[in-house]
Amino acid sequence: MARQRSVRAGLTTLGLMLGLSACTNLLNAEPPVIRRYTLLATPTAEASQAGGGMADTSIMVHVGSVGLSLNTDRILARDELTIAPISDLRWVEAAPAMLEKSLTDFLQQSGQFRYVTHHRGGPKTDRILTVDLRDLYVISENKQAKAVKLGLAARLSPASVERKARAAPGDETSVVLFERVDIDRSGGKSIDEAIAQAFSTAAQRVFSKLLTAMQAE
């Protein structure tokens, strides 16, 4: 009986030592490094030089609806069955706010409008560009990142009730745009860099198509 008590005491002591060791390792562990990215899209020379009928038009960009899974700063991976965040990768801010700013900068840099803003309560605007975020995912196949997808639905409409009342049938534009871009790791790029670059390429293509649709109005 005394020997059994001694064995139990030894096991209890060993358990406490292992528990304390695990706590010490957790306390000393380095915090994960969070890498943040944004959608960097610049208008092509052709888009900037294209003539449009909106040079005197001011526009406010507004992100309307967004899927619940996308209303986050987490960069998400999607396969046929699941959607899950990629560890340690984040957007610079929640995706809707980032999209609003990136698209505003892109349209402003195109030089095709009097000015473009995403701030409410600023100078009076002629049109509102409402964008619904449909897709912003890494596409995963067999647990490997293969491509990225960006999808938007956009509506350009008069900014005020008075303008809407006077609007002609062609004064409103609605488009749905999607781009899938393969992840390219050539040149020794890390997977993180390749994912960020693919997203920016997708954004440039989608934004360019949207600009073309607005110019053709």
Side-chain angles (χ1 to χ4, degrees):
M1 182 67 75
R3 188 172 182 278
Q4 287 179 344
R5 283 199 296 270
S6 175
V7 169
R8 288 198 194 95
L11 290 175
T12 302
T13 303
L14 177 60
L16 288 171
M17 290 174 63
L18 289 174
L20 290 172
S21 175
C23 290
T24 302
N25 290 336
L26 286 173
L27 289 171
N28 293 333
E30 290 291 330
V33 177
I34 303 297
R35 295 172 296 284
R36 293 187 178 273
Y37 296 98
T38 192
L39 293 175
L40 297 173
T42 304
T44 62
E46 292 80 9
S48 297
Q49 294 167 3
M54 305 191 76
D56 295 327
T57 303
S58 58
I59 292 175
M60 184 181 74
V61 177
H62 167 60
V63 173
S65 66
V66 54
L68 289 178
S69 64
L70 294 173
N71 195 12
T72 176
D73 67 346
R74 306 297 294 268
I75 296 179
L76 303 173
R78 181 176 191 170
D79 61 20
E80 292 140 350
L81 300 175
T82 60
I83 299 173
I86 299 176
S87 176
D88 304 336
L89 289 187
R90 304 285 177 90
W91 295 117
V92 291
E93 56 190 322
M98 178 186 64
L99 173 64
E100 205 170 75
K101 293 176 183 176
S102 297
L103 180 53
T104 298
D105 290 344
F106 179 91
L107 296 177
Q108 186 67 60
Q109 292 170 29
S110 74
Q112 297 295 307
F113 310 94
R114 185 164 79 245
Y115 67 80
V116 186
T117 180
H118 62 86
H119 299 295
R120 293 157 186 76
K124 187 175 181 180
T125 54
D126 303 312
R127 301 288 186 89
I128 296 177
L129 178 63
T130 303
V131 179
D132 299 332
L133 182 57
R134 301 280 184 85
D135 291 281
L136 191 64
Y137 299 109
V138 174
I139 298 174
S140 177
E141 297 174 2
N142 298 320
K143 299 184 179 180
Q144 298 293 321
K146 295 295 184 182
V148 304
K149 186 177 182 182
L150 172 61
L152 306 175
R155 302 179 302 283
L156 181 64
S157 58
S160 66
V161 174
E162 293 80 7
R163 289 179 183 274
K164 288 180 181 179
R166 297 196 306 268
D171 282 353
E172 293 206 18
T173 301
S174 296
V175 290
V176 178
L177 303 165
F178 293 91
E179 280 290 332
R180 172 179 166 140
V181 176
D182 290 338
I183 293 170
D184 178 9
R185 295 190 64 184
S186 61
K189 291 190 291 287
S190 70
I191 185 62
D192 295 359
E193 293 170 328
I195 288 172
Q197 187 174 52
F199 270 122
S200 290
T201 300
Q204 185 176 51
R205 292 178 184 177
V206 168
F207 294 174
S208 294
K209 288 180 179 179
L210 178 55
L211 177 59
T212 299
M214 294 167 69
Q215 289 168 333
E217 186 190 37

